[in-house]
Amino acid sequence: MKLAENKATLSFSQGGAPIELPIYKGSIGPDVIDIRKLYAQTGMFTYDPGFLSTAATQSAITYIDGDKGELLYRGYPIEQLATNCDFLETCHLLLYGELPNAAQKAEFTSRVTNHTMVNEQMQFFLRGFRRDAHPMAVLTGLVGGLSAFYHDSTDINNPKHREIAAIRLIAKMPTLVAMAYKYSVGQPFVYPKNHLSYAGNFLHMMFATPCEEYKVSPVLERAMDRIFTLHADHEQNASTSTVRLCGSSGTNPFAAIAAGVACLWGPAHGGANEACLNMLEEIQAMGGISKVGEFMEKVKDKNSGVKLMGFGHRVYKNYDPRAKLMQETCNEVLTELGLENDPLFKLAKALEKIALEDEYFVSRKLYPNVDFYSGIVQRAIGIPVPLFTAIFALARTVGWIAQLNEMISDPEYKIGRPRQLFSGAVKRDVQPIGTR
Ligand code: SDX
């Protein structure tokens, strides 16, 4: 970042000397006012619950222009990556800053492929869960459990250790998600197959059984790969900020990623894809498109607590570019599977049309986000609804680890420790219980 010519001056209506605060510029996007010395100079904190106006870090990985609906991974538009690259090329880009050439891609793919197996002991973690446990509860446990196998071999201050941890996590997440699925349906775990692509291997581990050959459909393989790319990273969202804050204590990367999985589960975040599909099924059960108007009235009634899941975003005040690409993928997959008349897809498109013309949504700049269509395409692929967020976590792992490694490799990084505005009881003495 570079110092801007202009500065910010903070003056106080009750008098006292004004404070000058430096302003820094990035390569694109909003400038920042550096308030690191504010408390020392004024004895005051800034106040920004939810971090609506706070840059918690500088980063060179992902840039979002919410007004334009633009998303860049290391400068490349998501539209170009989703069309011209595959997920492992995108992983290489996010981790190392550049798209791989053919030789680098082959080497990176081979490294990931050769780390896809998990320790045989991992299956015993699963046995502790009920078969109907939510996959995100299982995945949070499994990823945290991974740290037990690597805790002693991960010195996060060693760049080589950080890199192998990144490869292990990217490689093993599909295996763990597929194991969580197989466990839930009472089928045997399927081991990775090294001759398959990253997405193909995931589909094989999910849907193959020992009883017959499972042929990966190239259309589903491409759709799955694109779903991974669209979810790979997204600047300083809640789960990425969780991973950064957790990792800032020096804990091992597996524990930090487990914290990210736990945060992503929430319906306001990655859990929205599952909540959105459930919402569509609920409207369908009520009567489908004819009931959309009634549902929308509930959404607009503040007291109903009902939200249009898959809509709205803290940063995008325009169409989420990922939602557009996800809708395209939906079209491709449904057409390929002869499901172009899928009632939920038609319902979702009708909902979107109504919402985009409704003053409530227009005035609040609420547009479809990545979660609005992702559930429909995953359901068409055969993925059960409760597994949607686990697949989001699988894909986001590369973003989490790239952001964590970026933080740890910054010699200036410190443990994150926000302060507060205290509004509780002032100092008072404990009274004997007989007089309380
Ligand atoms: C993801 O941060 C990221 O980058 C996340 C993510 C990523 O890739 O990591 O993009 C992934 O989490 C996408 C978002 C998935 N969540 C949902 O689809 C859940 C539904 N969306 C909302 O909960 C909400 O839009 C949030 C949480 C996504 C954003 O909330 P904000 O920024 O805190 O906005 P807000 O709640 O203050 O909403 C502003 C207004 C409010 O109305 P008013 O008080 O001004 O009258 O818009 C309303 C909200 O009530 N509103 C909605 C709505 N979203 C916002 N009303 C109905 N339906 C919605 N979905």
Side-chain angles (χ1 to χ4, degrees), residues 53-124:
S53 301
T54 293
T57 184
Q58 83 174 285
S59 175
I61 299 175
T62 293
Y63 176 73
I64 304 171
D65 183 321
D67 295 328
K68 281 199 247 169
E70 184 178 60
L71 170 58
L72 309 176
Y73 287 168
R74 300 279 192 182
Y76 293 105
I78 189 69
E79 294 84 351
Q80 293 185 33
L81 291 169
T83 314
N84 305 314
C85 302
D86 67 19
F87 178 64
L88 284 186
E89 288 173 82
T90 304
C91 288
H92 187 285
L93 173 66
L94 289 168
L95 286 174
Y96 307 121
E98 295 300 336
L99 283 168
N101 60 31
Q104 290 163 332
K105 179 177 178 180
E107 195 272 336
F108 183 74
T109 302
S110 151
R111 291 185 70 205
V112 171
T113 303
N114 289 295
H115 280 278
T116 47
M117 279 214 298
V118 294
N119 188 299
E120 277 296 284
Q121 290 302 100
M122 286 301 284
Q123 61 184 297
F124 302 112

Side-chain angles (χ1 to χ4, degrees), residues 17 31 41 93 105 128 132 185 209 299 356 402 425:
D31 295 349
Q41 290 174 328
L93 173 66
K105 179 177 178 180
D132 63 352
V185 293
T209 67
V299 168
L356 296 183

Side-chain angles (χ1 to χ4, degrees), residues 176-187 206-207 382 384 387:
L176 295 177
V177 172
M179 286 174 79
Y181 170 63
K182 284 304 198 188
Y183 184 73
S184 74
V185 293
Q187 286 186 2
M206 280 283 292
F207 300 119
L387 207 75

Side-chain angles (χ1 to χ4, degrees), residues 246-257:
C246 183
S248 73
S249 72
T251 190
N252 74 73
F254 303 91
I257 299 300

Side-chain angles (χ1 to χ4, degrees), residues 123-158:
Q123 61 184 297
F124 302 112
F125 274 113
L126 283 140
R127 291 205 188 143
F129 291 101
R130 286 177 10 187
R131 294 272 179 179
D132 63 352
H134 194 286
M136 284 302 278
V138 176
L139 192 63
T140 306
L142 290 178
V143 177
L146 270 186
S147 42
F149 294 88
Y150 304 109
H151 175 72
D152 303 334
S153 61
T154 312
D155 165 9
I156 53 144
N157 296 306
N158 177 332

